Amino acid sequence: MEFDTSRGPARVLVETPAGRARLLLVLTHGSAGGVDAPDLLAVRDAALAGGAVVARVLQPFRLAGARAPGSPDRQDEAWAEIVARLREERPDLPLVQGGRSNGARVACRTAGKVGAVAVVAMAFPLHPPGRPERSRAEELRNAGVDVLVINGDRDPFGVPDAADASCLVVLPGEGHDLKKNPVKVGEVVAEWIAGHTR
């Protein structure tokens, strides 16, 4: 389905578990990616098996064909509108939101505003490649909720410090795309979000 936002339409794919829903998990992509990235699909599969309703969001800038999200404030504004619509349909479920790379940053920045109980940050881009002085660790620290970070130890965007998240999982041999063993990513996420279900 498509949701209209103040920044243009977004496409949202919602899938429900076979049994009773225990959680709403809203996921999104990186700057130049989409909602069918291997790690996002693996998380979807594992979360559905664990009783989560999973919504994968193609943000307005990507639906419009752009490869860069533009202003963080505008991106966050559209994200909050999308999540609000999703929560209207399932107000009784705890909300966990997350994404990969840029999507992880959005999830951290907006967690408090949208009422998320936790954030899943996959391939969190700690800094631009080769620019460690431009750290984005404050986005993790300021999320205001529990944050699970999953990064590869070969990620050119860096690996956050364990002190900056509730839980840090570093996968050996993985780069920024987390595509060598996406099933492992899904397992880690499913196990962690189980502690936030109702």
Side-chain angles (χ1 to χ4, degrees):
M1 66 186 98
E2 288 195 4
F3 288 180
D4 287 326
T5 79
S6 57
R7 301 300 166 188
R11 183 170 296 143
V12 182
L13 305 166
V14 179
E15 295 167 272
T16 57
R20 182 175 64 92
R22 303 168 60 210
L23 178 100
L24 172 60
L25 176 62
V26 185
L27 299 169
T28 193
H29 50 79
S31 290
V35 294
D36 292 327
D39 54 350
L40 289 176
L41 293 178
V43 169
R44 174 204 62 188
D45 293 346
L48 281 169
V53 174
V54 180
R56 289 177 294 140
V57 177
L58 187 68
Q59 295 180 65
F61 77 93
R62 287 298 291 144
L63 192 56
R67 293 177 60 84
S71 158
D73 289 342
R74 292 178 179 175
Q75 187 181 21
D76 293 354
E77 178 184 11
W79 179 258
E81 293 169 15
I82 295 162
V83 173
R85 285 276 305 277
L86 289 167
R87 294 202 76 192
E88 284 174 7
E89 298 174 14
R90 293 176 173 84
D92 56 321
L93 296 179
L95 167 67
V96 175
Q97 64 176 14
R100 68 168 346 276
S101 195
N102 175 70
R105 296 182 65 195
V106 174
C108 287
R109 291 194 306 255
T110 62
K113 181 175 184 179
V114 301
V117 298
V119 167
V120 174
M122 297 175 286
F124 186 86
L126 182 62
H127 56 72
R131 302 290 301 276
E133 73 281 2
R134 293 183 56 193
S135 174
R136 300 167 178 139
E138 284 297 317
E139 292 179 353
L140 289 171
R141 295 186 203 118
N142 294 335
V145 298
D146 288 346
V147 180
L148 166 66
V149 175
I150 306 176
N151 272 58
D153 66 351
R154 296 184 181 178
D155 193 330
F157 290 83
V159 177
D161 191 290
D164 294 330
S166 306
C167 180
L168 171 67
V169 177
V170 181
L171 300 176
E174 289 279 10
H176 193 62
D177 52 19
L178 297 176
K179 69 179 184 180
K180 285 192 173 183
N181 189 0
V183 171
K184 177 65 175 176
V185 177
E187 291 171 350
V188 169
V189 172
E191 180 178 352
W192 190 77
I193 65 173
H196 297 86
T197 58
R198 178 167 297 159

